[in-house]
Amino acid sequence: MIVVNCEEIPGKKIIEVKGLVQGNTVRTKHAGRDFMAVLKNLVGGELTGYTELLVEARRQATERMMAQANELKANAIINVRFATSSVMSGAAELYVYGTAVTVEDI
Amino acid sequence: MFDVLLRILGPYLIPVALFTATYIINYFINKNLMNTIEEKEAKVKHIVFSTKKRIDPTRYEGAIVVKGSAVMANCYFMKIIASIISFFGGEIDLYQKILNKGRRLAIARMLEDAQLHGADTVYNVRIATTSINGFELYAYGTAVREKTQ
C-alpha cells in the first residue's frame, strides 16, 4: 500500500478513485506518565512520553485507514491529512483521512 | 528587624525560590535542546523540503509519507509570565520561542525519517499544532528519491 499526502504518485497512474477512507483513535498514557509530565512542566523542555504516545496512536490510526482501503480493494491512498484534537487533559484524538485509489505503473 | 521582615516576606519566599530555580533549570534545558536540534539539522541538511504539491513523475520515484512530532512543555512559570503580559497586552515572546523550537525539532525528525527511506526531497510539507498538556508540533510530507538511470 502506497500512502502519500500529494495529489499524485510519481511513476504511477491513477485509474480508479475508490472514495474517502479514514481512521481514528483516542489514546491516553497511564497515570505515572501524566505525573512525570506534570513534573516536566515545572522546568520545561520536551515531553517525550507524549511524543511517543502520539507517534504510536498516529500509526494505529493510519493502520485502520489502510485496513479500510484494503476492504475497498484499493492499492494506494493519496492526499492524506492528519488532524488532532484534545478531548480531555492527557488524551488526544488522532484522525487520519485520505482518498483511496487504484494505481498502475505508467 | 529581621524577624519582622521574615514575617512579611515569609509566605512569598518559597514560591519565589521555586520560580527562580525552575527558570534557571529551564535555561539549561533549552540550551541542551538547541544543541540537539542543531545536531539533527546538520545531519539532514542535504534534504530539500518544500510545500510544493506537484511532483515531476519522470524524475522521482518511491513516494512515502514521512512524519515527525515533538511535544513541548507548557511550563508553569511561562504561564505566570504570560498571564502578566496578557494583562497589558502584547507579544508573548516565550511561547513564540518554544513553539519555534518544537517546530524545528519536528521538521528535523521528519527529515530524519526521510533519510531513513533513502529520500532526497520532501514535497507538500504540512505543519499542524495541537495542545495536550503542552504543545504538540507535527510535521508531515511526501518523501521521494531521484530516479536512477
Side-chain angles (χ1 to χ4, degrees):
Chain A
M1 174 90 46
I2 306 164
V3 181
V4 296
N5 75 339
C6 286
E7 278 154 27
E8 52 213 38
I9 304 168
K12 309 266 185 201
K13 191 174 63 184
I14 297 162
I15 52 171
E16 199 186 347
V17 176
K18 296 284 192 183
L20 188 97
V21 284
Q22 53 197 3
N24 73 338
T25 173
V26 180
R27 282 229 174 174
T28 59
K29 274 280 184 198
H30 56 81
R33 281 282 198 196
D34 283 340
F35 182 66
M36 288 305 286
V38 169
L39 290 187
K40 201 67 196 278
N41 262 334
L42 277 175
V43 292
E46 201 200 340
L47 304 172
T48 39
Y50 284 118
T51 308
E52 247 168 58
L53 159 78
L54 287 162
V55 169
E56 210 176 283
R58 221 164 250 134
R59 191 183 303 135
Q60 198 184 21
T62 313
E63 269 163 20
R64 281 180 186 163
M65 180 182 70
M66 279 155 83
Q68 227 180 67
N70 264 334
E71 265 175 34
L72 292 170
K73 296 191 174 60
N75 61 1
I77 304 170
I78 56 167
N79 231 343
V80 170
R81 296 277 180 276
F82 293 91
T84 322
S85 52
S86 54
V87 286
M88 52 185 259
S89 84
E93 196 218 4
L94 288 310
Y95 182 58
V96 191
Y97 58 102
T99 308
V101 291
T102 316
V103 293
E104 64 177 19
D105 288 334
I106 289 171
Chain B
M1 175 63 193
F2 187 71
D3 264 21
V4 177
L5 211 65
L6 200 70
R7 201 171 299 143
I8 297 166
L9 296 177
Y12 304 109
L13 271 180
I14 293 171
V16 167
L18 272 176
F19 186 86
T20 321
T22 52
Y23 196 91
I24 292 165
I25 298 170
N26 182 264
Y27 175 77
F28 286 108
I29 285 182
N30 273 342
K31 222 171 156 186
N32 201 2
L33 198 67
M34 257 344 253
N35 287 339
T36 337
I37 293 170
E38 268 159 17
E39 238 171 62
K40 275 180 195 283
E41 278 179 346
K43 267 186 214 160
V44 292
K45 226 165 54 185
H46 62 283
I47 300 176
V48 183
F49 63 100
S50 67
T51 54
K52 218 179 124 199
K53 271 187 180 175
R54 287 205 163 270
I55 304 172
D56 187 357
T58 54
R59 261 186 80 189
Y60 298 104
E61 61 176 5
I64 191 167
V65 167
V66 287
K67 38 211 156 183
S69 86
V71 182
M72 308 306 288
N74 182 8
C75 320
Y76 298 117
F77 80 82
M78 279 201 321
K79 279 183 195 166
I80 294 166
I81 294 173
S83 62
I84 293 168
I85 293 173
S86 71
F87 183 77
F88 301 104
E91 193 178 6
I92 302 174
D93 211 33
L94 275 168
Y95 277 129
Q96 185 194 320
K97 271 182 196 158
I98 204 94
L99 287 170
N100 274 337
K101 253 173 228 161
R103 215 160 275 141
R104 277 176 72 180
L105 193 59
I107 289 172
R109 279 185 181 151
M110 179 191 73
L111 295 180
E112 269 183 350
D113 194 9
Q115 197 182 28
L116 214 71
H117 289 107
D120 43 31
T121 316
V122 182
Y123 275 107
N124 205 7
V125 174
R126 269 153 203 279
I127 296 160
T129 319
T130 20
S131 59
I132 8 128
N133 283 9
F135 315 104
E136 199 229 357
L137 290 312
Y138 184 59
Y140 59 104
T142 302
V144 287
R145 60 171 175 269
E146 217 152 321
K147 261 184 192 169
T148 45
Q149 299 304 323

